[in-house]
Amino acid sequence: MTATDIHRAIEAVWRIESARLIAGLARIVRDVGVAEELAQDALVAALEQWPESGVPRNPGAWLMAAGKNRAIDHLRRNKRIERKHEEIGIELEARQMAVPEVEAALDDPVGDDLLRLVFTACHPVLAPEARVALTLRMLGGLTTGEIARAFLVSESTVAQRIVRAKRTLAEKQVPFEVPRGEELAARLTSVTEVIYLIFNEGYAATAGDDWMRPGLCDDALRLGRILAELAPQEPEVHGLVAMMELQASRGRARVGPKGEPVLLYEQNRSLWDQLLIRRGLAALDRAYKLGEAQDGDVGPYVLQASIAACHARANTPEQTDWRRIAMLYRELVRLQPSPVVELNRAVAVGMAFGPAAGLELVDALSAANALENYHLLPSVRADFLMKLGRMDEARLELERAVSLAQNGREKALLAERVQKCVAATS
């Protein structure tokens, strides 16, 4: 292998193994920030040694062994300061007894270390944007630059968020452990929220020139699948995975040849990924079965996945069961009262019972000023007005939507609709 090939191999190994490596080291040193530094040291060692010795047969185990040696050195240095030198051996021996062998750590089917890392990176003590950055760094294997480009912020901003997050975890002495009882449910909510945020930003970018950021969708899906393996009895985790699989199945059809957005009703459904649809429907079925076996309740992610499943099952736009979608959104509003969810319900109601029924709900939202600066509110209202033949009013709403939209592709799409309105009234 050439040096370039080896470096590419190291990058690939790091993407795959970094989360498990950091998790395993964090269990030894009990500090996520220190664990990441030790993992980076192991990566540097690989970059120095593998070009000469070649890529080892089990590169993940090699990195774990290198990181573990550095962790032991780190503990020795700390103990020299705190205790007499002769006590170090006893402490290290005790720690070593508590640490599984390298191969066992890498092949652990339960994934305890990784689960601990998930709950630590997504701890509620951190701000949401810090949780997202730390999760993508620790579990997604993304660099600071990659995270910054994905969310259209500066590298220094992302770096500060990560540094502050690590400092906060250390200062608050957040334990590197999986919570139990009621705390587990609360913390699991935080974990799923982070993965959901990452996926949504990839599926419909808030700002910038790209309609979608597929890399973020892929990262969120990978994290969701990992979480589903680590928490196999949680219906909402499988509901989240189902929703992401089903939404991601439409990825190729949502973007035109020039990167322009393609709305749902105009998509070529033959481009929808049938493998992802089958995976999503299977995850949704599992979520419902788990829910029935437990308390019978359906959570918000299962409801959102059920809505996505209605679209996935429709071979043509006309076959979409909008009445069921409207009912599912009504239940979602009950569980998660939100003006954005209410706006989505209005769309479903309009599709199921006519534009006048949908417009009535949208006008109620407008009167409440809950979505005053949300560009999709005037966009949806304009759509209903156009269907009712009120083109002048629709044009004004679309012009307002253009002024509020931050994504360049979406702004261009709305501007095209303005021109269609003008043409229809001229």
Side-chain angles (χ1 to χ4, degrees):
M1 296 176 67
T2 65
T4 301
D5 291 336
I6 290 176
H7 277 82
R8 285 176 181 165
I10 293 173
E11 289 177 4
V13 170
W14 180 253
R15 287 273 187 178
I16 295 169
E17 299 290 353
S18 60
R20 299 176 76 184
L21 177 60
I22 294 169
L25 294 173
R27 175 162 44 82
I28 299 174
V29 298
R30 318 302 293 180
D31 187 306
V32 172
V34 173
E36 190 193 16
E37 292 175 7
L38 296 172
Q40 293 285 348
D41 288 343
L43 175 63
V44 170
L47 289 168
E48 292 173 346
Q49 298 178 36
W50 291 6
E52 296 293 331
S53 61
V55 178
R57 181 174 298 177
N58 190 335
W62 192 99
L63 288 171
M64 183 67 81
K68 187 175 173 183
N69 289 335
R70 283 157 178 76
I72 293 171
D73 290 341
H74 170 80
L75 293 172
R76 281 201 183 101
R77 285 194 299 271
N78 285 351
K79 286 302 175 185
R80 284 195 186 101
I81 298 172
E82 296 174 9
R83 296 182 181 181
K84 296 178 181 179
H85 184 75
E86 57 267 22
E87 295 176 345
I88 296 173
I90 299 173
E91 175 70 14
L92 286 175
E93 184 178 352
R95 283 184 179 267
Q96 285 290 83
M97 290 294 291
V99 177
E101 291 301 316
V102 171
E103 294 290 343
L106 286 170
D107 299 327
D108 175 18
V110 178
D112 287 340
D113 288 341
L114 199 54
L115 190 57
R116 292 186 187 102
L117 183 60
V118 169
F119 279 99
T120 302
C122 299
H123 197 286
V125 74
L126 303 176
E129 62 272 14
R131 292 180 220 162
V132 169
L134 193 61
T135 300
L136 286 174
R137 178 65 174 267
M138 297 288 191
L139 291 146
L142 274 67
T143 65
T144 303
E146 287 170 331
I147 300 170
R149 286 191 294 275
F151 286 92
L152 301 179
V153 295
S154 67
E155 285 195 42
S156 61
T157 297
V158 173
Q160 288 171 7
R161 287 176 183 173
I162 293 172
V163 169
R164 282 198 297 266
K166 293 177 188 174
R167 185 186 304 130
T168 299
L169 292 175
E171 290 175 352
K172 299 291 185 180
Q173 297 183 337
V174 172
F176 186 69
E177 63 184 18
V178 178
R180 300 184 183 280
E182 293 182 1
E183 188 183 356
L184 173 61
R187 292 272 293 278
L188 189 61
T189 299
S190 176
V191 172
T192 52
E193 281 177 354
V194 167
I195 297 174
Y196 182 72
L197 282 172
I198 294 169
F199 181 83
N200 276 356
E201 183 59 31
Y203 190 73
T206 305
D209 296 323
D210 295 318
W211 174 237
M212 290 184 67
R213 297 189 184 120
L216 281 181
C217 289
D218 292 343
D219 284 321
L221 255 175
R222 184 164 67 86
L223 293 173
R225 289 166 183 162
I226 289 172
L227 187 60
E229 291 179 3
L230 300 177
Q233 300 303 313
E234 295 292 337
E236 275 292 82
V237 172
H238 294 287
L240 173 61
V241 172
M243 184 276 294
M244 293 191 296
E245 301 274 15
L246 292 168
Q247 297 281 62
S249 72
R250 305 199 292 265
R252 284 185 299 168
R254 292 188 76 237
V255 180
K258 296 181 181 179
E260 71 276 14
V262 181
L263 300 181
L264 181 61
Y265 246 64
E266 300 167 0
Q267 289 173 16
N268 179 356
R269 299 193 176 207
S270 67
L271 295 177
W272 288 6
D273 190 319
Q274 295 302 310
L275 174 60
L276 289 179
I277 289 174
R278 288 195 297 272
R279 292 181 65 144
L281 293 177
L284 180 58
D285 182 62
R286 185 173 183 182
Y288 269 110
K289 287 179 179 177
L290 285 169
E292 290 172 2
Q294 295 174 19
D295 53 19
D297 290 337
V298 174
Y301 292 123
V302 175
L303 286 172
Q304 290 184 64
S306 300
I307 292 167
C310 288
H311 294 297
R313 292 188 176 109
N315 293 322
T316 65
E318 293 74 23
Q319 292 177 357
T320 307
D321 189 350
W322 283 107
R323 287 176 178 259
R324 174 166 170 74
I325 292 174
M327 181 272 292
L328 290 167
Y329 269 122
R330 184 178 62 192
E331 184 64 16
L332 188 58
V333 168
R334 185 185 69 81
L335 287 181
Q336 279 189 334
S338 158
V340 173
V341 177
E342 189 65 55
L343 180 62
N344 287 328
R345 185 172 84 89
V347 172
V349 167
M351 297 299 293
F353 304 105
L359 183 61
E360 183 179 350
L361 294 177
V362 171
D363 285 345
L365 282 170
S366 297
N369 291 323
L371 297 172
E372 185 177 1
N373 296 313
Y374 188 52
H375 68 286
L376 289 181
L377 178 63
S379 174
V380 169
R381 190 167 191 274
D383 186 58
F384 289 142
L385 290 168
M386 290 174 71
K387 290 177 179 177
L388 293 169
R390 297 159 60 178
M391 305 305 283
D392 287 332
E393 294 175 76
R395 176 180 55 80
L396 293 175
E397 291 293 324
L398 286 171
E399 288 174 348
R400 173 167 168 74
V402 171
S403 70
L404 293 173
Q406 298 182 52
N407 182 278
R409 296 288 185 180
E410 199 167 13
K411 190 183 285 284
L413 178 66
L414 290 166
E416 287 180 13
R417 291 177 63 195
V418 170
Q419 294 306 312
K420 289 179 181 178
C421 250
V422 171
T425 55
S426 61

